[in-house]
Each structure stands twice: as C-alpha cells, then as structure tokens.
Amino acid sequence: MSSLSRELVFLILQFLDEEKFKETVYKLEQESGFFFNIKHFEDEVHNGNWDEVERYLSGFTKVDDNRYSMKIFFEIRKQKYLEALDKHDRSKAVDILIKDLKVFSTFNEELFREITQLLTLDNFRENEQLSKYGDTKSARAIMLVELKKLIEANPLFRDKLQFPNLKSSRLRTLINQSLNWQHQLCKNPRPNPDIKTLFVDHSCGQPNGARAPSPANSPLLGPLPKVGGFPPLGAHGPFQPAPGAVPAPLAGWMSNPPSTVTHPAVPGGGVIGLGGPSIPGDASDPVSKRTRSLGIVDEVNLPVNVLPVTFPGHGHAQAFTPDDLPKAVGRTLNQGSSPMSMDFHPLQLTLLLVGTNVGDISLWDVVSRERLCARNFKVWDLSLCTTTLQAALVKDPSVAVNRIMWSPDGTLFGVAYSLHIVQIFSFHGNNEVRQHLEIDAHVGGVNDLAFAQPNKQLCVITCGDDKTIKVWDAVTGAKRFMFEGHEAPVYSVCPHSKENIQFIFSTALDGKIKAWLYDNMGSRVDYDAPGRWCTTMAYSADGTRLFSCGTSKDGESFIVEWNESEGAVKRTYQGFRKRSFGVIQFDTTRNRYLAAGDDFSIKVWDMDNVNLLTTIDADGGLTASPRIRFNKDGSLLAVSTNENGIKILANSDGVRLLRTFENFSYDVSRTPETLVKPKVNPITATAATAPTSSGLADRGAPAVVTSGMNGDARILGDVKPRIAEESNEKSKIWKLTEISEPSQCRSLRLPENQRANKISRLIYTNSGGAILALASNAVHLLWKWQRNDRNSAGKATATVAPQQWQPSSGLVMTNDVNKINPEEAVPCFALSKNDSYVMSASGGKISLFNMMTFKTMATFMPPPPAATFLAFHPQDNNILAIGMDDSTVQIYNVRVDEVKSKLKGHSKRITGLAFSNTLNVLVSSGADAQICVWSSDVWEKQKNTYLQIPNGRTAVAQSDTRVQFHQDQMHFLAVHGTQLAVYEATKLECVKQWVQHESSAPISHATFSCDSQLVCASFFDASICVFNAANLKMQCRIIPSAYLPATVSNSNVHPLVIAAHPQEPNQFALGLSDGGVHVFEPLDSHGKWGVPPPAENGSASGVSASSAGPSGSDHAER
C-alpha cells in the first residue's frame, strides 16, 4: 500500500472516531495493522475479553513471529488459565491448557509441565512462584504493565504506537478545501451555495447552462473574487477571505482532536507468577540493552522507557464523577438587588463580579464575604453622549446590567447596560477599580458583551437592540467593525477561534444564528435556534464542543449540542420544566457537564447523555430561573437566590479552596460595623489565564469558563475601620506557641537498619504511606507504614513506627558516585507520580530505580556536568528538568534518551526547580541567588530576578535557593539561608518576605504544607518554626529539646531537609545531619501547630507587595 493510501487510512480512522463508530475504528485498526490502539488493548485486558485481545493482536503479530510476540501471547493465555483455576473451573482450564498453552511446550517443555501440575492443586497459590498472586483485577493490571513493555520493545510494533499528529477533522478539512476550490471555478458563485452531495463535483450552475471552466484554464486561479462565504456542507464555516490565497473554512469540520491517553503504571517489579518460555538474548536485535525484570524464569532486554508513556489515542478520557459537582453551600452573600450577571476573575478564583437589575455592580471576595468595590450606574460624561441617549435617560433613568465580564487576563472588565452604554473598568488589585472607557455603543439596550483578541489585539464585542454587532478597541474605544444582517435585536455574542480562524457567533430574538469573520463581508451562517427567541451559545472549555441554550416566548426551554460539521442539532437535553418561569441561563464546566437554572434549582447534565444527571437545590431559596456561574476548575458555583442574594456552592476541592484562603481574609465573626476593609489577596489566584475567546458568562457559557466564588454583600461606605484598642487587646492575648518538651508534640525517630552519615534529601511518597531519603553516602533509605489495627489507613504517622523496607533480594538503591567523594557531591532525586520509580544522582550518573525491586533500570548523563536538581514535568513523566552544576538546566526526554533543550541564565549551579501545572512555566533557582521563569512550551526565559538580600548581609555558606509552588500554582515559595519569600510567578514579584536575624542561625530548608496554609522551616540551630503562609508570620516554634536527647541537642546535630506529608497538613518529617529521620505531628488535643497571629489592623491580610522586605519580617521572634 502506498504511503498516501496509508495516510488515508489514518484520516478515515480519525473521522470514524469523531463520529463515534468505535467498533469500526478498532476493526479497521486491526485489519490495516497501521496503528495499535494501546488504550483499546488496555481496556480489553482489564475487562478480561481475551478473545478480542488476541483477535486485535492478530492484526499486528502472530505467536511465532519473534520472541517478544511469543512472550505477549504466553502472558495473556497464562492469565486466562490462572483465572479459570481461580474460579475452580477445571474443565475450562484444561481446555485453555490444551488449545492455548500447549503450543509453548515445544519451546519450553519443563515450563509446560509445571503449568500442567497446577491442576493438581486446590489453590494454585500453593505454588511458591504464584504465592503473591492477588485478585483478578490486580493480576491483570500487573500483567498489563509487562505487556506494554513487550509491545514497545517488539520491532513489529515500531511506528505503530503513535497516531499521527493530525489537526482535528483533517479529512473534513480536505473535503472542504476541495469544495472551496470547486466553488472558485463557478462562473457565477453564489454567496451561500447549497451543497447537498459529495458524490458529484459542486457547481453553482449558470443561467445559460454553460459548464464551469476547468482548473487548467480558469481565470479565477489568481486573486479570489470577494464572493460570499461557502459554508462547508452546512457547517458554521465560511471562507476566510484573503486576496491571492485559497480561504480556509471558518470552523467547519472541527470535532474532538485526538487526546492523549496516559498508561498508568502499576507498582510492581514484574509479572507475578510463572515466567514465560525461555527467550535468549539477541545481540543483533535493535533494542536497547538495558535490562528489566520481566518475570520469574527469565528476563528480556527492553528499552529504558519505563515511565508512564502517553500515546495519542481516540476520544476523551474523563476522570470526573457527579460527586465532583459543587453542591454544598459554602458562602451566602447579600447583594442588595437582584443579580442579573456574574463572572469570576480568570486568575483570582475568589473574586466575583456581579451586575444587578438596578445597574449596580459589585466586586466580591467570596472567601471573606467582603464587598471590595461597589458602583451605582451613572454616565461618566453626559456631554459626550448622543442626543438619543440623553433623551432616553430623561424619559426613563432606570438601567439594568445585562452582562458583566472580565477580560482574559483580568485587568479589565466590561459592563453592558440596558440603555445604550458599555462601560469598561480597569482593575489594579485589592479594591482599586478605575474608569477606563465609556462607549455609547447601541441605540436601545446593549444585550451582551464579550472580549476577544482578533489579530492579538484586545477588543470588546457588543450587540444590541439596533440589530447590530460591533467590535471596539479595548484600549482606545475606537470602533473596528460593525456587522449588520440580523432582522431582529441581537441577543448574544460568542467569539471563538479554531485553527487560527477567528469568528463570532450571534443570536437574535427571531431565533436566527449567524456567524461573522472580522472582515465586514457579511454573515457566513444562517440557522434557526431551538425556541426561536432568547438563545445563548457557548463552547466547552477546551473549545471542541458547541452548545446553545434557548427559551421560547411560550416558556419552553432547550439546551442542545450542535454538530458543527453538519450545522445541525446533534443532541437535545431533556429535563426542563414544561413552561419555564423565565429565560434560562446555562454554563459548562470541566468539559463534561452542562448546568442550567430552572424551576428553583440547578439542573445538571453529562454532555454525553441527554437525560438529566442531577438536580441541585442549594438548600432552597433559589429564584425561579437562577443565574449561575462556575469557576474555571468547576470547584465553585455562584447562583442567585431570593431576596437579592447569592450562594456559593462548593465541591470538595472548592471547600478546600475556601479553607485554604480563610486565613488570608479578615475576621468575619464580627458585626458589619466593626469590620475593616480587607485587601484582595493575590495568592488566591489559582487558574491560568483564560484563552482569548471569552464567551457568554451568565446567559450563555463562554468558550472558556472563568472561575471564582461569591462573597458577602456590604456596601463599601458602610464598612468602618476596626477600633484600635480592640486590635491591641487582641494582640496582647495572642502568644507564640513554643514547644520545648517531648510531651508537647508527637515525634518519632524512624528505625535505622542502615546507618547514614547525614540525610541530604527527603520526600514522602505520593500515596502518603512511605518516606524516601537519600543519604550523603549515595544510599537510599525507604520506610513504609503497614496497615494494622493502630494504623488502618497504612499512612505515615508519628504514633506507629514504620519498617525500613528492603526487597527480598537484598538490593540497595545506591547512586553512581563517579569516583568522587559522595560527601562532597550535591545529591538530588525526584519521585514519579505513581511512586513506582525514582530518578536520583549523587555527583555521578543519573540513575533510574524501580521502587519495588530497587533494581537500577538505567543510568544516563555521566558528568561533567553533574546533576544537582531533578524535577519531573507535571504532564509527562518522560520529560525531566535537570539542574546542573555548570549553571544550566537541561530538558531531557527519558523515552528517547535525548536532551531536548538547554536553558542558560544562571551563573552558578542550579539548586531548585519547580513546574507550575497551570501557568506552563518552569521556575529555577541557583546558588547565585537568582530566580528565573522559563516557558515550558518553547523553553525560553520569560523573566528573572534576584533575591532581596538585606543590606549588610553576606551570603551564608549554605546559600542554596530552593523553590516550591503554592497550591494555587500561581505563587511560589523561595527558601534561602537568610529568608523565606513568596513570589507571584507571572510578574516575578516578591509579595511577602520573612528575613532571619543576622545573628541567628540560618535557615536550612523549608516547605509548604500540603494545603499551602503553613510553611515549615528548619534552622541550623536545630529549631523548627511553623509560619502562617498567608502572611509569613511565625505561629509555632519547636525547640531542639522537644525531639533531640540532651546528649545530642547540645551537639552539632541539626535538620538539613524538611518534607511535608501529601495529605496531612500538620505532619512533616526532618532529615538530620546525624543520619536520622524524625516525623512530627501536633498533639490530638491541639490538632494544629499553634494559633495564627493577628495581622495588622486586625485583619489577617493576604500576601501583598507592600509587606515585602525586612519590614514584614518577625525579627523580634527569634
């Protein structure tokens, strides 16, 4: 088959998958043998569909093709055999033995005899080699790990595990380009040609019946005539007019792109049970010679790709459940007038904008329930208004907010009013809101507003009663485009972009949907929306699925998903009240759920199921058709209530979000008259910047749903400063908690089977059930907590001693030391997310260890330069950031054994690396006290700064700078011998700093607690301090005598490293200079490390730039 024919098969596979012909997809994959769908194979193995597993494999390999294939089929059939034995179905087991396993007897007769003898046992686990066989589910998972390794190593699967990187709906795009080309050849091209078939070439037809010229002599092969767009097969997809170029479709033929499917690795060193047929090594085989344990009888040489690998597969893999929906009432706010529109800040998840039916706008901090800013409607400069507007204001001065929305970066927000006006405000943090632009936008009401960035220039899009859509420059207010063509007032706009083509959907009160490019050439699409009245449109957050929500004049409501390639309704969701009480608003979240306010409740659907998933009543009190708004990650939901209120609903993540930042907010236990105006806490920012296409906030969900939560409703003028005497009185009551006796906390020194000189690195496993340490002699130590009556969860605790664990083989994980003194090296390690593997170095090569077997899976990158810090990429365990002692950061792909990029910017060795999961950045720190921020997309430096070392201070000998991201992924902690500092990552600004006394012991290490509410720091005088992360104020100090014996506490024993438990916010562990490891927890009677100190003005202020520097430090406390 030719290469083009092969590529056509891939295009057909993509098309079939997008159209949900799953079984046909798998059949074509098997029959063509071009792409091995590892996700499908994995699912079938997990489900035990052994016939389908072998049938699918048969399209790619046979049992006797090579030793890898033989091993694959053997493991599958052996598992099927053991499962039959486990069910005591001996007749089936015998049938499998004769029909499936006997073929392997010619290669290893002894193995076949041993397998046969299992029939004589009541329980095959009596066989020593099968004694660790668990249940069916775990056994399949363990086997699957080995199967994937064999498949990756098998030469017959080479180039068949990676689906080509295709743009979405590539086959549709090619067909559409062909139709566009055919349309150019039409002598009299129609603006909106009707295409009804692909079976014959398209022609608009000519009055005299003449045939269209052929491409060979067509005069239209030059500049494209400016004709109307050609909707590709009825989709929302016109031309992108550009002289001299063939136009691309607007958005037609767009569907779900191939998603990556991650293979979760299963902890374990190999298949449990009998090994496969003996397979001798083959030096000529083009496979890496690094070895891995595969089974009990033998091993097979495999490549070094041992980490979870991602393969582009088919479809979306969602990990959410209905329990992830926000249902619990976390906050209640009193707005004062009826909310009409709400929008959360795209970066600061707890800032909520609200616009009401009387024209008021409010900015809330929903954690503190504080109204940070309030504005009543007024025209800023009446002299600049048209006479029509002035007359309208005189006739009826009442104005309502139709839409309020943040710009993508959160620096601006726009307000669309029910009378002519759009006002744009600029937001400068805290409670600082300024007037930016006032636009007399439309005659009559301005019904909707959205932000977009055509040609990378921020614009405001509005629509109104005058039947037009207008595009305004968001900086100058100049009108850039006006779109006319609707025959009724335009109700909503939905800007979006696909494949670099930017466009706007609009809906009108006659039910018409139109689409526009930024070219003043008219609408490209004309469809009827269900309900044919008030309709809003929105894309899912990933931009791949299009929905609309509408209500008819009779009160009948609809939510539908559109098939963009057909321009038709794909599915209609059921469950609305027969006659809704008002116009329904809807929103989307997590690319999975749709929600709408109807019948005094919130109704929720799974996007893939037309039936109602659940109904949320929010403890009652909602309006008949509530206004709703999700935050970006779907953890919070704002909903309007009766009596002009707003409820903030939260899921478990949302509850944690509220609790995380409660300490950053002021005391809400007092009456409104005693409250002080708080500052907006920048550290509440937890979401990445929203994409440029905003969308429809309340009345229709945006292309990207921004996130936030609602606060409480007090007008700013009603808020009075807290009385100074009251604050002073409270300050006198508070006292720093000091722990000086062992009885005042729970402390446990972990047992030591192997003595270490000092602990250089320390980490909890992600499961929370073990602690891994790297000693200065290059040896790793692992402690595991067992499940028992005293520790039913099997988690790390200071009340039960763990075991220092080692595999039965007696292996010790020891790093390569490159003939140097390991005590002089800079050790480093990083643990994979599934706790199965650890990357580690102690001055020599980087080693990859299996955490179950302690085997060295691979070594690479011999010095010089030597690795000094390691960090896994958060989205891809095969990408490793490696800090070097030559001051560079190398981006290394483990799978292909290749350095992808080398980052240069530091002047001394790298001492810290941290990835942000949401900002797509890597932060690095060095012994030069410099911090750099790098883009993790293109690996280019974005910003850099130096630590603010206090005047007169010299760098301490231990001058390493470590960095760690806050839970919000927007801020990070920088730890230096002289200070703790919190930085905002996008601007690289120090927003809080705590500086140690010059005469006091330097900081040896520090870390955030797992919920980022605390910072635990260790010092070279062996003391430990716990800080409130919101303001870096110390709230607890542990004296060395509380955990070190008197004979030791006076010596030079001190903590070198500190680690936080991944699930318990108040548990941490210390690695000491004498080789010991201690675990700490507060007493049950306390539950926490001290009490947070009162902040200035009686408010526990958030991390703010004004408090950065030595002035913000607790000098007197040490």
Side-chain angles (χ1 to χ4, degrees):
M1 185 178 284
S2 69
S3 61
L4 287 180
S5 297
R6 185 175 186 271
E7 291 180 0
L8 179 58
V9 171
F10 280 112
L11 295 178
I12 294 171
L13 282 172
Q14 184 193 44
F15 169 79
L16 291 172
D17 180 69
E18 291 169 347
E19 295 300 312
K20 310 300 183 186
F21 296 111
K22 295 294 186 184
E23 294 305 317
T24 308
V25 168
Y26 304 144
K27 185 66 174 176
L28 181 55
E29 288 169 350
Q30 180 225 325
E31 288 192 341
S32 68
F34 290 156
F35 172 64
F36 186 83
N37 189 335
I38 196 75
K39 179 65 169 60
H40 170 62
F41 179 76
E42 185 178 30
D43 291 341
E44 297 300 324
V45 170
H46 277 306
N47 295 329
N49 298 329
W50 304 119
D51 290 343
E52 173 59 22
V53 168
E54 290 210 21
R55 187 182 303 113
Y56 190 74
L57 271 173
S58 67
F60 302 88
T61 185
K62 300 295 185 292
V63 174
D64 56 355
D65 278 347
N66 58 37
R67 66 180 188 274
Y68 299 103
S69 299
M70 184 182 299
K71 183 72 172 176
I72 290 169
F73 280 95
F74 174 78
E75 292 297 339
I76 291 170
R77 295 175 182 182
K78 181 186 72 176
Q79 179 63 28
K80 183 166 62 168
Y81 176 66
L82 293 178
E83 289 183 16
L85 289 176
D86 208 23
K87 295 177 182 177
H88 302 289
D89 189 345
R90 295 189 179 277
S91 61
K92 183 177 180 180
V94 170
D95 189 58
I96 295 170
L97 184 68
I98 296 172
K99 292 182 180 180
D100 295 335
L101 290 171
K102 189 174 178 61
V103 66
F104 300 105
S105 63
T106 57
F107 300 97
N108 192 328
E109 187 175 350
E110 180 62 31
L111 176 63
F112 181 73
R113 187 180 301 112
E114 187 175 356
I115 291 174
T116 304
Q117 289 174 353
L118 296 178
L119 288 167
T120 64
L121 303 176
D122 291 334
N123 187 339
F124 62 79
R125 294 175 182 82
E126 296 173 18
N127 183 293
E128 182 181 356
Q129 296 182 20
L130 295 169
S131 60
K132 293 183 179 180
Y133 184 97
D135 58 13
T136 297
K137 183 178 179 181
S138 62
R140 289 175 182 174
I142 293 171
M143 177 192 67
L144 187 59
V145 174
E146 300 306 319
L147 291 181
K148 287 190 288 187
K149 294 174 184 176
L150 288 164
I151 289 168
E152 291 163 18
N154 195 328
L156 295 177
F157 289 84
R158 194 159 298 151
D159 301 325
K160 296 181 181 181
L161 299 177
Q162 188 83 18
F163 198 85
N165 186 19
L166 305 176
K167 290 187 176 180
S168 300
S169 304
R170 178 60 183 161
L171 183 59
R172 294 179 180 273
T173 301
L174 291 173
I175 295 172
N176 188 60
Q177 289 171 349
S178 172
L179 293 174
N180 277 314
W181 180 260
Q182 295 169 31
H183 188 56
Q184 290 179 61
L185 304 182
C186 295
K187 187 173 182 181
N188 298 302
R190 297 173 185 171
N192 292 291
D194 184 19
I195 188 75
K196 295 182 178 179
T197 180
L198 294 176
F199 292 163
V200 296
D201 289 349
H202 161 73
S203 174
C204 287
Q206 301 177 41
N208 60 3
R211 298 175 61 187
S214 67
N217 57 13
S218 172
L220 300 179
L221 294 181
L224 182 70
K226 291 194 174 183
V227 297
F230 180 75
L233 299 188
H236 311 304
F239 287 21
Q240 171 90 354
V246 176
L250 171 80
W253 314 113
M254 296 296 290
S255 184
N256 295 336
S259 62
T260 57
V261 180
T262 303
H263 299 156
V266 179
V271 174
I272 298 173
L274 299 170
S278 179
I279 303 174
D282 182 358
S284 64
D285 196 283
V287 179
S288 172
K289 302 306 182 291
R290 295 163 181 158
T291 61
R292 263 179 277 173
S293 174
L294 184 65
I296 293 175
V297 173
D298 64 320
E299 295 186 359
V300 175
N301 294 336
L302 296 175
V304 71
N305 181 25
V306 296
L307 301 180
V309 184
T310 59
F311 295 101
H314 299 305
H316 290 286
Q318 295 287 355
F320 307 119
T321 68
D323 292 336
D324 293 319
L325 292 167
K327 298 178 181 179
V329 178
R331 295 289 187 273
T332 301
L333 314 174
N334 177 21
Q335 174 60 39
S337 51
S338 180
M340 299 296 291
S341 179
M342 299 179 289
D343 196 25
F344 283 109
H345 194 280
L347 299 180
Q348 301 188 42
L349 294 187
T350 56
L351 293 188
L352 179 70
L353 279 173
V354 180
T356 75
N357 63 335
V358 296
D360 295 341
I361 62 173
S362 300
L363 175 62
W364 294 90
D365 177 359
V366 301
V367 174
S368 64
R369 302 181 178 88
E370 179 73 1
R371 194 194 313 252
L372 303 173
C373 181
R375 296 282 192 277
N376 299 321
F377 172 76
K378 69 174 183 178
V379 178
W380 298 345
D381 192 341
L382 194 60
S383 64
L384 298 179
C385 295
T386 62
T387 56
T388 306
L389 173 57
Q390 294 182 31
L393 288 171
V394 171
K395 182 178 179 180
D396 185 6
S398 61
V399 174
V401 174
N402 282 335
R403 172 52 53 88
I404 193 165
M405 177 172 281
W406 289 102
S407 65
D409 63 359
T411 58
L412 301 173
F413 65 86
V415 188
Y417 293 98
S418 60
L419 197 63
H420 287 249
I421 289 289
V422 168
Q423 291 179 341
I424 310 296
F425 295 84
S426 59
F427 176 60
H428 301 271
N430 299 331
N431 61 345
E432 189 175 353
V433 174
R434 303 174 189 169
Q435 297 176 359
H436 177 63
L437 287 175
E438 185 174 58
I439 304 172
D440 189 348
H442 295 271
V443 177
V446 183
N447 295 322
D448 200 8
L449 168 149
F451 287 91
Q453 290 182 311
N455 301 319
K456 299 184 179 180
Q457 184 174 0
L458 185 64
C459 293
V460 181
I461 303 168
T462 63
C463 64
D465 288 343
D466 57 5
K467 307 176 185 178
T468 64
I469 301 104
K470 298 180 182 180
V471 181
W472 313 85
D473 188 300
V475 177
T476 65
K479 183 169 68 178
R480 296 185 58 202
F481 298 98
M482 182 171 76
F483 305 128
E484 298 178 290
H486 276 292
E487 298 177 358
V490 185
Y491 182 71
S492 71
V493 289
C494 176
H496 196 56
S497 64
K498 281 190 174 180
E499 294 188 340
N500 298 319
I501 300 171
Q502 296 164 320
F503 54 95
I504 305 166
F505 280 120
S506 62
T507 69
L509 291 182
D510 59 359
K512 292 295 183 182
I513 299 174
K514 294 182 181 291
W516 318 80
L517 294 176
Y518 296 89
D519 59 6
N520 287 323
M521 289 184 60
S523 171
R524 306 311 211 275
V525 163
D526 190 348
Y527 294 128
D528 290 322
R532 300 195 176 189
W533 192 42
C534 296
T535 298
T536 54
M537 304 186 75
Y539 278 91
S540 57
D542 60 9
T544 62
R545 303 175 72 171
L546 177 64
F547 303 91
S548 71
C549 177
T551 303
S552 72
K553 293 180 180 180
D554 297 328
E556 190 174 4
S557 294
F558 305 86
I559 290 183
V560 302
E561 180 178 5
W562 290 86
N563 185 328
E564 289 185 85
S565 62
E566 302 291 341
V569 171
K570 183 176 182 180
R571 55 170 60 92
T572 301
Y573 299 90
Q574 310 296 323
F576 281 113
R577 179 186 174 90
K578 189 170 184 180
R579 291 289 182 267
S580 299
F581 293 105
V583 176
I584 298 298
Q585 285 190 0
F586 86 125
D587 203 352
T588 72
T589 183
R590 293 191 168 191
N591 300 315
R592 177 68 180 271
Y593 300 113
L594 296 165
D598 178 48
D599 198 15
F600 303 95
S601 64
I602 304 153
K603 296 180 176 178
V604 183
W605 293 264
D606 186 304
M607 290 179 178
D608 295 325
N609 192 329
V610 298
N611 296 315
L612 188 65
L613 176 67
T614 188
T615 299
I616 303 170
D617 64 3
D619 297 340
L622 302 185
T623 57
S625 299
R627 300 325 197 214
I628 65 171
R629 191 65 169 139
F630 283 102
N631 68 354
K632 182 180 178 65
D633 62 2
S635 62
L636 303 172
L637 173 61
V639 56
S640 62
T641 68
N642 291 326
E643 300 180 355
N644 304 327
I646 300 169
K647 287 185 179 181
I648 304 300
L649 309 184
N651 62 11
S652 56
D653 291 335
V655 170
R656 282 193 293 270
L657 178 67
L658 293 177
R659 290 175 180 171
T660 297
F661 299 120
E662 275 177 341
N663 289 336
F664 300 147
S665 307
Y666 67 100
D667 185 355
V668 298
S669 62
R670 305 176 186 277
T671 61
E673 288 73 22
T674 64
L675 290 171
V676 66
K677 178 179 71 178
K679 295 179 179 179
V680 177
N681 178 19
I683 208 166
T684 59
T686 65
T689 303
T692 56
S693 57
S694 298
L696 309 173
D698 312 287
R699 305 184 310 155
V704 174
V705 183
T706 56
S707 55
M709 282 183 85
N710 296 350
D712 167 87
R714 277 179 298 278
I715 300 297
L716 205 56
D718 298 333
V719 180
K720 298 180 181 180
R722 182 171 289 167
I723 302 172
E725 291 80 3
E726 181 186 1
S727 179
N728 291 337
E729 181 181 351
K730 185 173 181 179
S731 298
K732 291 177 183 176
I733 296 173
W734 181 84
K735 183 180 180 182
L736 174 69
T737 300
E738 288 206 349
I739 296 175
S740 56
E741 300 292 335
S743 61
Q744 294 176 300
C745 70
R746 294 208 302 249
S747 171
L748 172 69
R749 182 169 177 127
L750 305 189
E752 303 165 21
N753 299 335
Q754 296 171 273
R755 187 68 181 173
N757 293 336
K758 61 183 180 181
I759 302 298
S760 301
R761 295 291 181 265
L762 192 70
I763 191 173
Y764 282 87
T765 58
N766 295 289
S767 66
I771 289 178
L772 177 66
L774 174 57
S776 59
N777 61 354
V779 172
H780 298 77
L781 308 172
L782 179 65
W783 289 270
K784 288 186 177 182
W785 275 260
Q786 304 298 319
R787 294 179 185 270
N788 52 42
D789 294 340
R790 297 180 60 197
N791 185 14
S792 58
K795 299 293 186 182
T797 176
T799 59
V800 178
Q803 297 177 349
Q804 186 172 337
W805 191 85
Q806 210 173 352
S808 57
S809 63
L811 287 177
V812 177
M813 291 190 290
T814 305
N815 281 333
D816 171 68
V817 294
N818 195 35
K819 299 180 182 179
I820 64 171
N821 182 357
E823 301 288 340
E824 298 175 357
V826 179
C828 55
F829 66 12
L831 188 63
S832 66
K833 286 180 287 188
N834 56 20
D835 295 333
S836 294
Y837 303 95
V838 61
M839 291 279 192
S840 187
S842 295
K845 296 178 183 178
I846 299 173
S847 298
L848 173 65
F849 296 101
N850 184 307
M851 284 281 285
M852 291 298 293
T853 64
F854 284 13
K855 286 187 177 182
T856 303
M857 310 305 293
T859 58
F860 52 93
M861 299 190 73
T868 55
F869 206 92
L870 301 170
F872 282 111
H873 192 287
Q875 275 84 45
D876 188 350
N877 257 353
N878 286 302
I879 302 298
L880 191 68
I882 307 173
M884 296 293 190
D885 62 5
D886 67 350
S887 77
T888 64
V889 178
Q890 298 193 21
I891 308 303
Y892 176 76
N893 189 312
V894 178
R895 190 176 180 209
V896 299
D897 193 12
E898 181 182 10
V899 175
K900 293 294 186 181
S901 187
K902 185 178 290 188
L903 313 182
K904 298 180 180 179
H906 289 274
S907 60
K908 294 184 179 179
R909 62 183 167 84
I910 304 300
T911 58
L913 295 168
F915 282 97
S916 168
N917 293 331
T918 57
L919 294 182
N920 293 326
V921 298
L922 170 68
V923 174
S924 63
S925 58
D928 54 2
Q930 184 185 188
I931 298 172
C932 296
V933 178
W934 313 83
S935 164
S936 59
D937 294 325
V938 295
W939 302 115
E940 293 179 353
K941 186 161 70 174
Q942 296 180 339
K943 288 184 177 359
N944 71 298
T945 190
Y946 286 85
L947 287 178
Q948 302 171 9
I949 304 296
N951 293 333
R953 298 286 293 271
T954 57
V956 296
Q958 292 80 10
S959 58
D960 289 358
T961 305
R962 304 288 172 80
V963 286
Q964 179 191 9
F965 265 96
H966 186 280
Q967 188 184 50
D968 66 9
Q969 297 294 304
M970 300 292 293
H971 295 76
F972 63 86
L973 175 69
V975 182
H976 186 263
T978 63
Q979 63 188 272
L980 306 173
V982 175
Y983 284 80
E984 197 279 325
T986 56
K987 298 178 181 178
L988 202 53
E989 292 180 352
C990 179
V991 295
K992 199 70 180 177
Q993 185 184 40
W994 182 90
V995 179
Q996 173 66 310
H997 278 297
E998 186 173 9
S999 58
S1000 300
I1003 301 168
S1004 60
H1005 199 243
T1007 183
F1008 275 125
S1009 60
C1010 63
D1011 60 2
S1012 296
Q1013 291 191 31
L1014 303 176
V1015 174
C1016 302
S1018 59
F1019 295 80
F1020 280 97
D1021 63 0
S1023 62
I1024 309 157
C1025 294
V1026 180
F1027 297 81
N1028 185 325
N1031 48 30
L1032 288 187
K1033 287 186 173 295
M1034 192 185 303
Q1035 64 185 52
C1036 181
R1037 180 192 293 133
I1038 302 174
I1039 307 301
S1041 58
Y1043 69 98
L1044 292 177
T1047 55
V1048 176
S1049 58
N1050 296 325
S1051 65
N1052 194 29
V1053 175
H1054 55 268
L1056 293 174
V1057 64
I1058 188 167
H1061 192 285
Q1063 288 104 33
E1064 298 295 335
N1066 290 289
Q1067 185 186 136
F1068 59 90
L1070 292 180
L1072 304 182
S1073 58
D1074 68 349
V1077 175
H1078 282 254
V1079 174
F1080 289 84
E1081 290 175 315
L1083 296 175
D1084 290 334
S1085 58
H1086 299 155
K1088 295 183 179 180
W1089 297 109
V1091 178
E1096 297 84 355
N1097 299 325
S1099 165
S1101 63
V1103 174
S1104 60
S1106 61
S1107 63
S1111 61
S1113 62
D1114 303 325
H1115 287 251
E1117 294 186 8
R1118 286 190 61 82

